[in-house]
Amino acid sequence: MIKFSFQVSFSWGNRWFPRRKPSVSCKESNKKIAECAELAMEELSRRRAKSTIDNYQTALRSLLAYTRKDICVEDIDTALMEGYQRWLQMRGVSRNTSSCYMRSLRALIHHINPETDYKETFKNVFTGNEKTEKRAITMEEIRRMGSPFPTSPHWGRSKEPRRERALEMARDFFLFSFCALGMPFVDLAFLKQSQVKDGYIEYRRHKTGQRVKVKIEPLMQHIINRYAREDSPYLFPILTNQNPQGAMREYERKRSKYNRLLRQYAKKTMLPHLTSYVARHSWASIAYSNNVALPIISKAMGHTSTQTTLIYISEINDHKIEEANDRIIKPLLDRQCQHKATA
């Protein structure tokens, strides 16, 4: 397994990267991509969003997991990227996630070596956006997950109680995420016990740094109590590593496992396809269908703009559009009726 970490002197939220002076200039021949990326991201961090740098880090870490060693910038060619895309596909990575990795790598490598045109390098890999299946589920389906809420250590009578406990835990985290204004799994995993106070959870979004305050509802408190522990600063038993970089690597492994368990749970309970994103999309869509104003949804989800929020909201029902149009034109129709009556 490749051991790779970034050592850049910038910080966001609860993540910090210590400074390490690179020993190789990116202007030298045979420059290694890891150290060049370190320099590039340190420079880019002054003018790019945290989420963009996060994407660069994740994409480069994934590429180096494929190559199993640090490589030279000059080694990145069409054949390498084609092989990397096939490797991602075999690992079950979606086309949109693969596309995000490719676009991030292309931008990062171009910044490292702006004198070279990398269009040919990425010409045979997918860098677009593929329309995905509907991610939101209905309120009735959410209720099916939460009711009846079990009190036993595990549900069912399977010969594999450990497996069922894992499925139950995944279900609980999904419900907690939904009830907590669609809290992303990364923020749920990194939640600290110190962030729970006076009936509220207050944290900053890992992705945007936006502050979010959530009132702890009874179902959320039930789940907190269920997984309470005194031997860790984390609220839930997801992470054990307290080093920022180590915790992030551990989170990426646990996220994959969480999504795998959700898929198994959905199949077992005959629910639609579930992922960590579904809880977030569902909360936004259900809130919108209940006439919660878009700016309120946007603030609740920690978005920096309502345009981002619209991505999470599923298609508006045509019937609601008809109702909206009826409310708009009704005064006009009433006035015409009055005019005819007096004519």
Side-chain angles (χ1 to χ4, degrees):
M1 180 181 293
I2 185 166
K3 293 185 178 180
F4 181 79
S5 62
F6 293 95
Q7 303 287 332
V8 184
S9 60
F10 49 86
S11 64
W12 288 299
N14 59 355
R15 296 174 61 190
W16 176 75
F17 298 83
R19 177 183 294 274
R20 176 173 60 83
K21 187 69 174 178
S23 59
V24 178
S25 169
C26 286
K27 293 183 179 180
E28 296 178 11
S29 60
N30 298 321
K31 47 188 177 287
K32 296 292 186 179
I33 191 172
E35 289 191 283
C36 292
E38 178 182 327
L39 282 172
M41 286 187 283
E42 181 172 6
E43 180 183 345
L44 288 170
S45 67
R46 302 186 185 100
R47 59 180 189 274
R48 297 285 175 87
K50 168 187 175 294
S51 57
T52 300
I53 304 299
D54 281 349
N55 288 340
Y56 291 168
Q57 290 178 333
T58 303
L60 187 55
R61 189 181 299 119
S62 173
L63 177 64
L64 292 177
Y66 164 65
T67 61
R68 294 181 176 273
K69 64 179 181 179
D70 197 1
I71 58 176
C72 297
V73 177
E74 289 80 1
D75 293 334
I76 299 177
D77 56 17
T78 304
L80 179 70
M81 301 317 296
E82 289 177 355
Y84 173 50
Q85 180 173 257
R86 288 192 297 271
W87 180 78
L88 290 173
Q89 290 172 346
M90 288 188 294
R91 291 173 65 88
V93 175
S94 70
R95 274 170 61 81
N96 280 343
T97 300
S98 174
S99 174
C100 181
Y101 289 170
M102 297 298 179
R103 295 196 307 271
S104 296
L105 289 169
R106 184 174 60 189
L108 182 59
I109 295 166
H110 177 72
H111 185 80
I112 291 172
N113 195 0
E115 298 175 0
T116 302
D117 186 357
Y118 287 97
K119 287 183 180 179
E120 288 294 310
T121 304
F122 291 85
K123 69 176 183 179
N124 294 333
V125 297
F126 180 65
T127 57
N129 287 298
E130 187 174 65
K131 188 175 181 180
T132 57
E133 61 183 297
K134 182 180 176 182
R135 292 182 173 182
I137 60 177
T138 66
M139 193 67 223
E140 180 57 37
E141 289 163 337
I142 295 287
R143 289 194 186 99
R144 281 175 56 192
M145 295 180 71
S147 178
F149 200 83
T151 55
S152 60
H154 58 85
W155 45 275
R157 295 186 177 182
S158 170
K159 294 181 180 179
E160 302 179 80
R162 183 176 179 181
R163 173 190 170 93
E164 291 203 338
R165 281 197 294 270
L167 292 176
E168 182 180 306
M169 183 180 290
R171 186 278 313 270
D172 289 349
F173 292 159
F174 183 96
L175 289 173
F176 187 93
S177 174
F178 176 81
C179 294
L181 310 177
M183 181 184 291
F185 184 64
V186 63
D187 295 324
L188 186 148
F190 279 89
L191 272 182
K192 301 288 185 66
Q193 297 196 43
S194 58
Q195 292 173 300
V196 179
K197 187 176 181 181
D198 299 329
Y200 287 88
I201 295 173
E202 190 169 339
Y203 70 99
R204 289 193 178 274
R205 283 285 317 279
H206 229 76
K207 185 174 182 179
T208 64
Q210 291 289 105
R211 174 182 168 273
V212 180
K213 188 174 183 178
V214 184
K215 182 182 178 182
I216 300 176
E217 301 295 343
L219 178 56
M220 295 168 62
Q221 187 63 59
H222 186 102
I223 295 172
I224 290 173
N225 294 343
R226 200 170 199 202
Y227 298 100
R229 52 185 183 163
E230 299 180 356
D231 59 345
S232 171
Y234 295 114
L235 186 61
F236 293 115
I238 300 172
L239 303 179
T240 58
N241 199 318
Q242 296 182 40
N243 173 273
Q245 292 173 298
M248 181 52 65
R249 289 193 294 271
E250 183 182 11
Y251 157 72
E252 289 170 358
R253 295 193 302 271
K254 294 297 180 66
R255 179 185 59 187
S256 297
K257 181 179 180 181
Y258 176 56
N259 282 321
R260 185 169 64 253
L261 288 169
L262 284 177
R263 288 194 296 269
Q264 294 172 3
Y265 175 83
K267 184 177 180 180
K268 187 179 183 72
T269 56
M270 300 181 68
L271 283 166
H273 180 68
L274 296 178
T275 69
S276 58
Y277 288 106
V278 170
R280 189 161 175 78
H281 280 260
S282 299
W283 187 90
S285 293
I286 292 171
Y288 195 73
S289 67
N290 280 276
N291 300 316
V292 178
L294 187 60
I296 295 175
I297 299 174
S298 183
K299 183 176 181 181
M301 300 185 77
H303 288 158
T304 55
S305 86
T306 54
Q307 292 301 313
T308 305
T309 310
L310 288 172
I311 298 171
Y312 288 81
I313 297 174
S314 57
E315 295 83 358
I316 300 173
N317 188 288
D318 289 341
H319 182 62
K320 284 189 172 292
I321 296 175
E322 293 172 7
E323 290 179 349
N325 193 43
D326 182 63
R327 288 197 303 271
I328 292 169
I329 66 175
K330 192 174 186 299
L332 175 63
L333 296 175
D334 289 344
R335 183 171 295 180
Q336 287 182 335
C337 291
Q338 290 174 5
H339 178 72
K340 289 180 179 179
T342 55

